[in-house]
C-alpha cells in the first residue's frame, strides 16, 4: 500500500548534501555517473552478468528504478539518490529492512570518484542513520565491507560504527566469494551524542 512504509518517502539535507528518492527523470544522470565509474565501483559491487555499459544504461535505469520503488513501497528499503549541490553523485540504500523484534537494516553506498574525499558519504550515512533511528523506526543499522576497502572502512570508523564480525566468503562480488567485516550501530549508541550527524559535525569541526 502506498505511503505505508514508516519514514518513506523523505528528503534529508545537510549543507550541499541532499538525499531524496530517485525519480524517473534521473535516468540520464544516473547512467552517466555509473558508466563513468566502472573501474571505481566494479571491485566493490555485486552485479548481474552483462556488460557494464548495458547494465547501467538509461534504459536499464527503468528496471532499477521500478525495483527500488517496489521494495521501498513494501517497506523493505529506503533507496536514496545522493546529490551534491543539486547534482546526482551517488547512492545510499537502507536495505533488507526487517521489523518486529529486529528493526534493523543493512546499508550500501557509493559516490562518484570525481567527488570522493569530500565527506559526501559520511554526511549521507549520518543523515540516513538518524532518519532510520527516528521516523524510520529502526533500532540497528549494519554495514558490511570488504577488508581491502580502506576508504569505506574509514567512513564507518570515522562515524564510530562498532566492528563486530568477520564474515568469511560473505558475498559474491567481482567474480568471487569475498570476506567482509561487519560494522553496526544501534540507536542507543548515538542517542547520547544527539545523533550521528551531530557527532559527524563535531568531528569535522575538530579535525578541520
Ligand atoms: C567508500 C566511499 C563511498 C567513500 O565516500 P567518500 O564520500 O569519498 O568518503 P570520505 O570523503 O569520508 O573519504 C573516505 C576515505 O577515502 C579516502 N579518499 C579520500 N580521497 C580519495 C580519493 N580521491 N580517492 C579515493 N579515496 C579517497 C580517504 O582515506 C578517506 O578517508 P579520510 O580522508 O577520512 O582518511 C567511496 O570511496 C566509494 O564510492 N568507493 C567505491 C564504492 C564503494 O567502495 N562502496 C562501498 C562498498 S562497502
Amino acid at each position: 500500500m502506498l505511503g505505508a512504509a514508516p519514514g518513506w518517502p523523505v528528503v534529508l539535507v545537510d549543507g550541499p548534501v541532499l538525499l531524496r528518492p530517485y525519480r524517473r527523470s534521473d535516468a540520464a544522470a544516473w547512467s552517466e555517473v555509473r558508466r563513468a565509474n566502472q573501474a571505481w565501483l566494479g571491485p566493490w559491487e555485486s552485479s548481474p552478468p552483462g556488460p557494464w555499459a548495458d547494465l547501467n544504461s538509461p534504459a536499464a535505469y527503468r528496471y532499477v528504478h521500478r525495483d527500488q520503488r517496489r521494495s521501498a513501497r513494501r517497506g523493505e528499503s529506503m533507496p536514496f539518490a545522493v546529490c551534491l549541490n543539486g547534482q546526482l553523485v551517488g547512492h545510499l540504500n537502507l536495505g533488507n529492512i526487517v521489523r518486529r523484534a529486529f528493526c534493523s537494516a543493512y546499508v550500501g553506498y557509493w559516490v562518484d570518484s570525481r567527488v570522493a574525499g569530500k565527506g559526501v558519504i559520511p554526511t549521507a550515512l549520518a543523515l540516513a542513520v538518524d532518519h532510520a533511528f527516528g521516523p524510520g523506526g529502526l533500532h540497528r543499522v549494519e554495514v558490511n565491507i570488504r577488508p581491502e576497502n580502506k576508504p569505506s572502512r574509514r567512513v564507518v570508523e570515522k562515524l564510530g560504527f562498532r566492528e563486530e564480525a568477520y564474515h568469511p566468503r560473505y558475498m559474491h562480488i567481482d567474480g568471487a566469494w569475498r570476506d567482509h567485516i561487519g560494522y553496526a550501530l544501534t540507536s542507543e549508541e548515538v542517542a547520547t551524542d544527539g545523533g550521528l550527524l551531530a557527532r559527524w559535525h563535531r568531528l569535522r569541526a575538530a579535525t578541520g
Side-chain angles (χ1 to χ4, degrees):
M1 189 170 60
L2 253 179
W8 190 261
V10 70
V11 175
L12 307 171
V13 189
D14 183 54
V17 177
L18 180 144
L19 273 60
R20 60 162 172 79
Y22 284 91
R23 306 171 182 144
R24 202 178 300 175
S25 57
D26 287 327
W30 178 86
S31 177
E32 189 283 326
V33 72
R34 296 280 310 169
R35 283 177 163 175
N37 282 278
Q38 176 173 3
W40 172 251
L41 301 176
W44 315 118
E45 289 194 356
S46 60
S47 77
W52 184 268
D54 294 351
L55 293 169
N56 294 287
S57 66
Y61 176 77
R62 272 220 314 238
Y63 300 101
V64 172
H65 184 44
R66 185 197 59 193
D67 290 351
Q68 282 174 339
R69 280 166 47 111
R70 196 175 282 166
S71 149
R73 264 202 307 268
R74 289 191 189 123
E76 294 164 358
S77 69
M78 299 191 209
F80 289 105
V82 177
C83 302
L84 180 64
N85 298 316
Q87 286 272 111
L88 193 158
V89 296
H91 168 79
L92 185 145
N93 186 40
L94 291 163
N96 284 3
I97 294 176
V98 179
R99 294 195 178 269
R100 294 182 178 259
F102 278 107
C103 289
S104 139
Y106 288 59
V107 189
Y109 46 71
W110 56 262
V111 76
D112 188 339
S113 63
R114 295 167 289 192
V115 298
K118 297 181 192 296
V120 172
I121 291 298
T123 304
L125 183 56
L127 281 166
V129 167
D130 283 348
H131 178 71
F133 289 163
L138 299 180
H139 171 248
R140 174 185 154 87
V141 291
E142 189 170 327
V143 187
N144 291 291
I145 303 176
R146 290 182 61 185
E148 304 87 339
N149 193 344
K150 296 215 169 68
S152 187
R153 291 176 63 188
R154 278 290 300 150
V155 168
V156 292
E157 285 166 7
K158 281 189 283 194
L159 290 175
F161 276 67
R162 192 167 18 82
E163 181 177 333
E164 63 171 23
Y166 192 86
H167 307 292
R169 301 172 298 286
Y170 181 71
M171 256 181 111
H172 202 266
I173 289 185
D174 198 24
W177 292 101
R178 308 291 186 177
D179 296 358
H180 280 68
I181 300 174
Y183 295 86
L185 269 183
T186 60
S187 56
E188 298 85 353
E189 290 170 291
V190 292
T192 48
D193 278 353
L196 196 55
L197 189 65
R199 182 191 283 181
W200 172 233
H201 282 171
R202 275 198 297 277
L203 186 80
R204 283 194 118 175
T207 55

